[in-house]
């Protein structure tokens, strides 16, 4: 099967590309068209919405943090069993890092250009009339690269407004695939790190159905599908990703620990690792046969009381630290929120102190924290669970937490996407490792 693909982009964040993407995925499903998806840029949350809308896995594609072969493999795998691959962009079409990574600057435009896919621009037309043509013309001619094959007008106030917008775009010969009316019926609540997680939205199916109904009624789905282009074939053999941290990995996964990249987990499985899921919020301990424990990022600060009360998971581990069944006898890796849980105390946004695992000399707090966001290049200061000393890893930071105390041997030397050194970060103590750095691929 040769799948076709297209990229859903926008001039800026907040234009509605996620809602449009979800509506398109669910509408395709209604019409019997097999459509899968991918998300450009570092993102844990939107892909879970994609999966709920399409019933298919959603992968992450990142031109700054991933090597070309890995992107090709992931895109090819995503397209292998579908007719159409819809790729949702990140931020504005050309927004990326100041310095390019292995493939591009991480922008949506860079990804579309690499894959040779056309771009459909979602325009927030709520405060525009004929100026919409100038906006689209600017994005089409800003620099050589991606082809903008047409637009979807969003938040259109009525028939007169739609006629005005279509007339302006007709003069610059830009196809309009649809005009979505302004509505409050399809809004997703958000919090400090983005949208509320898909698994937390009680009315998720009703929301997705509403998005599909609105998008299906406003967008010419047939014309959109016809505008898609064939996807390039992926590499002939699997790309080498990071080695697994152990042969039998216990993965924390629940509402407090949801930020794990599926391409890393799939890569570990491909290299023979077994992954068993456990839930700290349900007071489930890691399986006793596990030789590695992975605590990914998420929202432990929202569930700090429950995490601290998870006696068999945390208190029991503190009591048996160093014993054969304790975390001290296993390789333990915490990332983002998982790093906070490996520390001694987590202070929530009200200042209440919650005891954590106590495996690292770390104390964190949410009150007074500021957003730390951006691509990062990390050099291992010593051996890590999946990289030798001196190895370079690519990834990002994405947190609001404040470090109150951090004592011990640092895990990484970090720099941002401009090449500016950010100093030593994270901690390592025996077989326990952690930091706020989220790894995506090797350097």
């Amino acid at each position: 099967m040769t799948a076709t693909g297209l990229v859903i982009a926008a001039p800026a964040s907040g234009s509605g590309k996620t809602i449009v993407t979800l509506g398109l995925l669910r509408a395709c499903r209604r019409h019997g068209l097999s459509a899968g998806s991918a998300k450009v840029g570092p993102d844990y949350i939107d892909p879970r919405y994609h999966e709920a809308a399409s019933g298919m896995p959603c992968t992450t594609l990142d031109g700054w943090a991933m090597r070309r072969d890995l992107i090709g493999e992931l895109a090819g795998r995503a397209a292998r069993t579908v007719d159409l691959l819809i790729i949702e962009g990140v931020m504005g079409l050309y927004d990326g890092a100041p310095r390019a990574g292995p493939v591009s600057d991480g922008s949506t435009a860079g990804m579309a250009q690499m894959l040779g896919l056309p771009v459909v621009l979602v325009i927030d037309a709520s405060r525009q009339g004929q100026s919409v043509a100038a906006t689209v013309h600017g994005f089409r001619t800003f620099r050589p690269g991606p082809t903008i094959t047409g637009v979807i007008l969003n938040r259109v106030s009525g028939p007169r407004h739609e006629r005005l917008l279509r007339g302006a775009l007709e003069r610059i010969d830009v196809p309009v695939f649809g005009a979505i009316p302004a509505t409050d019926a399809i809004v997703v609540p958000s919090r400090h790190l983005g949208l509320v997680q898909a698994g937390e939205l009680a009315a998720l199916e009703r929301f997705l159905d509403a998005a599909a109904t609105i998008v299906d009624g406003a967008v010419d789905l047939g014309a959109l599908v016809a505008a898609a282009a064939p996807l390039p074939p992926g590499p002939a053999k699997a790309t080498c990703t990071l080695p697994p941290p152990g042969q039998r990995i216990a993965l924390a996964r629940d509402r407090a620990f949801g930020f794990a990249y599926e391409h890393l987990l799939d890569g570990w499985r491909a290299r023979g690792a077994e992954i068993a899921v456990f839930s700290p919020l349900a007071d489930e301990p890691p399986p006793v046969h596990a030789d590695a424990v992975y605590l990914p990022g998420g929202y432990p600060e929202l569930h700090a009381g429950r995490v601290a009360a998870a006696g068999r998971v945390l208190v029991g581990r503190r009591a048996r630290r160093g014993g054969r069944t304790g975390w001290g006898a296993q390789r333990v890796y915490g990332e983002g929120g998982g790093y906070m849980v490996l520390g001694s105390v987590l202070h929530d946004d009200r200042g209440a102190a919650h005891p954590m695992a106590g495996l690292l000399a770390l104390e964190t707090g949410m009150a007074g924290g500021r957003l730390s966001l951006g691509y990062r290049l990390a050099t291992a200061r010593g051996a890590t669970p999946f990289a030798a000393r001196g190895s370079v890893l690519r990834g990002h930071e994405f947190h609001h937490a404040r470090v109150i105390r951090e004592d011990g041997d640092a895990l990484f030397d970090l720099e941002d996407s401009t090449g500016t050194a950010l100093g030593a970060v994270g901690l390592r103590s025996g077989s326990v490792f952690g930091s706020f750095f989220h790894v995506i691929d090797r350097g």
Side-chain angles (χ1 to χ4, degrees):
M1 176 187 296
T2 301
T4 59
L6 52 82
V7 177
I8 303 296
S13 296
S15 300
K17 60 182 179 289
T18 298
I19 298 293
V20 170
T21 300
L22 297 177
L24 289 172
L25 288 170
R26 179 56 63 96
C28 286
R29 193 172 173 182
R30 284 183 179 178
H31 289 285
L33 177 65
S34 175
S37 69
K39 180 70 173 75
V40 178
D43 195 323
Y44 299 102
I45 299 174
D46 287 2
R48 306 293 83 79
Y49 279 93
H50 286 209
E51 291 168 352
S54 69
M56 301 279 191
C58 175
T59 192
T60 298
L61 305 174
D62 196 304
W64 190 91
M66 290 179 175
R67 291 161 292 124
R68 183 176 296 271
D69 283 354
L70 179 57
I71 293 172
E73 179 186 340
L74 294 175
R77 187 192 308 164
R80 199 167 294 149
T81 57
V82 299
D83 300 314
L84 175 69
L85 185 68
I86 299 175
I87 301 176
E88 181 192 349
V90 58
M91 300 185 294
L93 176 61
Y94 294 105
D95 295 333
R99 294 186 182 181
V103 174
S104 72
D105 59 359
S107 68
T108 304
M111 185 59 62
Q113 187 169 359
M114 178 202 158
L115 296 175
L117 297 180
V119 172
V120 176
L121 208 60
V122 176
I123 303 291
D124 179 357
S126 59
R127 293 176 177 83
Q128 280 194 314
Q130 292 174 321
S131 294
V132 70
T135 299
V136 176
H137 175 72
F139 273 83
R140 291 181 96 186
T141 59
F142 174 65
R143 73 183 190 204
T147 299
I148 297 178
T149 191
V151 303
I152 293 175
L153 301 169
N154 192 28
R155 300 171 186 146
V156 177
S157 62
R160 181 178 177 278
H161 189 202
E162 181 179 343
R163 288 194 298 271
L164 183 68
L165 296 167
R166 286 182 179 271
L169 291 166
E170 186 177 350
R171 288 196 290 275
I172 62 169
D173 196 28
V174 173
V176 176
F177 292 115
I180 300 172
T183 177
D184 294 328
I186 45 175
V187 177
V188 186
S190 61
R191 58 166 65 107
H192 56 283
L193 293 183
L195 298 179
V196 169
Q197 295 179 94
E200 297 179 63
L201 201 63
L204 178 61
E205 283 300 308
R206 187 161 65 246
F207 159 74
L208 293 172
D209 283 338
T213 297
I214 291 171
V215 170
D216 199 13
V219 175
D220 185 340
L221 191 58
L224 197 70
V225 172
L231 277 148
K237 62 179 183 178
T239 301
C240 179
T241 57
L242 296 174
Q247 178 62 36
R248 296 175 299 278
I249 304 166
L251 168 69
R253 173 160 282 177
D254 52 32
R255 291 184 179 184
F257 303 93
F259 292 176
Y261 282 118
E262 294 299 323
H263 73 274
L264 289 178
L265 304 181
D266 289 342
W268 293 345
R269 292 188 186 98
R271 296 178 69 153
E274 304 168 18
I275 299 177
V277 173
F278 72 102
S279 169
L281 288 186
D283 202 16
E284 296 174 357
V288 294
H289 67 276
D291 55 10
V293 176
Y294 175 30
L295 299 180
Y299 293 105
E301 65 272 19
L302 299 181
H303 309 276
R306 290 180 61 191
V307 173
R312 288 191 298 161
V313 179
L314 297 181
V315 178
R317 289 318 189 249
R318 287 198 297 268
R320 293 194 299 272
R321 192 173 171 187
R324 291 297 300 171
T325 59
W327 281 8
Q330 299 165 323
R331 182 175 289 181
V332 183
Y333 176 65
E335 195 173 74
Y339 178 48
M340 296 164 69
V341 172
L342 290 178
S344 57
V345 180
L346 190 164
H347 299 265
D348 63 26
D349 56 2
R350 296 182 302 276
H354 303 273
M356 294 287 112
L359 297 179
L360 293 174
L362 172 71
E363 188 173 347
T364 56
M366 298 305 298
R370 60 184 180 84
L371 181 62
S372 181
L373 171 68
Y375 285 124
R376 301 288 186 260
L377 201 65
T379 302
R381 285 191 143 212
T384 77
F386 35 71
R389 179 180 180 179
S391 298
V392 176
L393 304 170
R394 286 182 176 267
H396 64 108
E397 278 191 292
F398 187 39
H399 68 89
H400 263 281
R402 177 172 61 96
V403 173
I404 299 170
R405 181 176 68 93
E406 194 175 37
D407 296 327
D409 295 329
L411 187 60
F412 297 117
D413 286 313
L414 219 59
E415 64 180 65
D416 65 17
S417 59
T418 70
T420 301
L422 301 178
V425 301
L427 290 171
R428 52 192 174 94
S429 176
S431 59
V432 182
F433 311 82
S435 76
F436 281 114
F437 170 72
H438 296 265
V439 64
I440 292 177
D441 194 12
R442 56 186 174 87

